[in-house]
């Protein structure tokens, strides 16, 4: 039978824990199969008959899944995974594996809905991606996860997260403290997302070194951002001028994701939203893609979908 060769890339995994001390886990796999397995960094090269190559690829992917979801991988786990794979049973299937965005200490972050899957695909293919839809659809959380993956892989050297400092019916002036004290609570959702995805010490180090920045949108003016993954959150509250300013900050080897909900605009009534305007101006430009979420993509409490639906009906009945 003709031998084939396949390379798989194992992202976001501790290779030492995966392969075992002195590569004991790798040797366990090699003892079970006839194929040749070579590991170089995060790349695993498998050479053998097609059936074995496919089986070994599944074994490695399931090992990564088990390690990153449970935090450990025993020799018994390896044997179980190989037995299940050879019996045609799997811990995860290929579609689920492909939807995984990031492994964290406590969970696996993955695209769970059709809208989220379209968003992840679009963000990976385009330098600028807009994610527009209601609250609770995971736009910001997935955007931050994609940024963390890019930083971990070395695709970018820094992450910048920005939000327009628009008061949602409340005055920042009445909050205690200096400007940073006033603005930090408004940026807290971004801190919370990062805290879920990175160990506390690592996140603190990144923030102190400026590898990760969380800033009000106004602080972006005058900058050129090279080798950066930039996210503009709550973009419905950016003015047209601010949106243009943000998009023109991108430098060499930089990517941007813009998220927002055009049903929750907090700008003055006569002020056009930069996100709404961008839909009309930028649609059709190669390298820029718009992804739209709806209530079917909501991943929060089950009542959130019903609440969004109720408000849509109410607004529709009172729009005449």
């Amino acid at each position: 039978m003709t031998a084939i060769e396949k390379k798989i890339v194992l992202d976001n995994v501790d290779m030492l824990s995966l392969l075992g001390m002195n590569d004991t886990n790798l040797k366990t796999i090699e003892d079970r199969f006839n194929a040749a397995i070579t590991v170089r960094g995060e790349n695993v090269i498998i050479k053998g008959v097609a059936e074995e190559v496919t089986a070994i690829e599944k074994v490695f992917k399931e090992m990564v899944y088990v390690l990153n979801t449970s935090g450990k991988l025993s020799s018994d786990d390896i044997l179980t995974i190989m037995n299940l794979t050879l019996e045609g049973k799997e811990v995860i299937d290929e579609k689920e594996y492909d939807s995984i965005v990031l492994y964290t200490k406590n969970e696996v972050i993955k695209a769970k809905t059709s809208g989220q899957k379209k968003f992840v695909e679009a963000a990976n293919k385009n330098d600028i991606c807009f994610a527009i839809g209601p609250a609770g659809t995971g736009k910001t959380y997935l955007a931050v996860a994609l940024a963390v993956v890019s930083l971990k892989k070395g695709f970018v050297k820094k992450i910048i997260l920005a939000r327009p400092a628009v008061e949602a019916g409340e005055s920042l002036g009445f909050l205690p403290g200096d400007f940073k004290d006033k603005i930090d609570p408004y940026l807290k959702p971004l801190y919370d997302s990062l805290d879920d995805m990175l160990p506390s010490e690592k996140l603190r180090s990144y923030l102190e070194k400026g590898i990760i920045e969380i800033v009000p949108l106004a602080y972006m003016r005058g900058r050129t951002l090279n080798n950066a993954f930039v996210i503009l959150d709550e973009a419905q509250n950016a003015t047209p001028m601010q949106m243009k300013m943000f998009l023109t900050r991108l430098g060499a080897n930089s990517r941007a994701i813009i998220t927002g909900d055009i049903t929750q605009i907090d700008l003055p009534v006569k002020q056009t939203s930069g996100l709404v305007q961008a839909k009309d101006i930028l649609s059709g430009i190669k390298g820029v893609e718009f992804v739209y979420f709806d209530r079917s993509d909501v991943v929060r409490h089950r009542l959130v979908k019903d609440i969004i639906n109720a408000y849509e009906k109410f607004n529709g009945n009172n729009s005449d």
Side-chain angles (χ1 to χ4, degrees), residues 130 162-167 179 183 186 215-223 225 230-250 256 258 265-268 271-278 281-282:
F130 287 80
R163 271 187 163 195
V166 174
E167 300 165 2
F179 181 72
I183 206 69
Y186 186 72
V215 296
L217 176 58
Y219 281 32
M220 303 286 285
R221 190 174 300 280
R223 302 181 65 179
L225 305 173
V230 195
I231 297 173
L232 175 58
D233 191 37
E234 298 287 345
Q236 74 274 6
N237 291 327
T239 66
M241 186 178 295
Q242 287 176 326
M243 180 63 73
K244 180 182 178 182
M245 179 271 291
F246 173 82
L247 293 172
T248 54
R249 297 309 90 200
L250 291 186
I258 300 93
I265 297 172
D266 297 315
L267 292 167
Q271 175 67 67
T272 300
S273 165
L275 181 59
V276 173
Q277 187 187 74
I281 295 176
L282 303 178

Side-chain angles (χ1 to χ4, degrees), residues 58-78:
K58 290 180 179 179
V59 167
F60 269 101
K61 288 183 175 181
E62 303 219 20
M63 286 168 60
V64 171
Y65 184 84
V66 171
L67 176 59
N68 283 316
T69 51
S70 67
K72 58 184 180 180
L73 187 65
S74 68
S75 57
D76 287 341
D77 291 330
I78 308 268

Side-chain angles (χ1 to χ4, degrees), residues 78-253:
I78 308 268
L79 293 172
T80 300
I81 288 169
M82 288 193 295
N83 289 335
L84 289 173
T85 300
L86 292 172
E87 291 172 9
K89 301 174 183 177
E90 302 169 34
V91 179
I92 54 170
D93 61 29
E94 285 297 314
K95 290 182 179 179
E96 183 177 4
Y97 186 87
D98 291 342
S99 71
I100 292 172
V101 177
L102 175 68
Y103 293 101
T104 72
K105 183 177 180 180
N106 299 314
E107 64 173 335
V108 174
I109 299 172
K110 59 186 178 181
K112 298 177 181 177
T113 69
S114 60
Q116 289 187 352
K117 290 174 183 174
K118 288 177 184 176
F119 170 51
V120 171
E121 290 172 3
N124 284 328
K125 288 191 297 185
N126 297 275
D127 286 340
I128 297 177
C129 182
F130 287 80
I132 300 173
T137 49
K139 304 181 301 295
T140 300
Y141 199 73
L142 283 175
V144 174
L146 288 165
V148 170
V149 169
S150 288
L151 183 65
K152 281 188 170 186
K153 289 183 177 179
F155 294 160
V156 297
K157 294 182 179 179
K158 68 187 310 179
I159 297 172
I160 299 173
L161 310 175
R163 271 187 163 195
V166 174
E167 300 165 2
E170 300 173 359
S171 176
L172 293 173
F174 288 100
L175 294 174
D178 58 19
F179 181 72
K180 184 179 184 304
D181 294 328
K182 295 174 190 289
I183 206 69
D184 272 358
Y186 186 72
L187 300 173
K188 193 173 187 303
L190 299 175
Y191 284 102
D192 289 344
S193 295
L194 285 168
D195 194 48
D196 282 350
M197 300 173 196
L198 291 168
S200 298
E201 290 184 6
K202 178 70 74 174
L203 175 57
R204 191 180 306 113
S205 173
Y206 281 162
L207 290 168
E208 289 173 354
K209 294 176 181 177
I211 294 173
I212 294 179
E213 293 182 54
I214 305 177
V215 296
L217 176 58
Y219 281 32
M220 303 286 285
R221 190 174 300 280
R223 302 181 65 179
T224 300
L225 305 173
N226 297 318
N227 299 306
F229 200 117
V230 195
I231 297 173
L232 175 58
D233 191 37
E234 298 287 345
Q236 74 274 6
N237 291 327
T239 66
M241 186 178 295
Q242 287 176 326
M243 180 63 73
K244 180 182 178 182
M245 179 271 291
F246 173 82
L247 293 172
T248 54
R249 297 309 90 200
L250 291 186
N253 191 42

Side-chain angles (χ1 to χ4, degrees), residues 259-286:
T259 69
D261 177 1
I262 57 177
T263 69
Q264 295 190 21
I265 297 172
D266 297 315
L267 292 167
V269 176
K270 294 183 180 181
Q271 175 67 67
T272 300
S273 165
L275 181 59
V276 173
Q277 187 187 74
K279 289 189 340 179
D280 300 326
I281 295 176
L282 303 178
S283 293
I285 294 180
K286 187 176 181 180

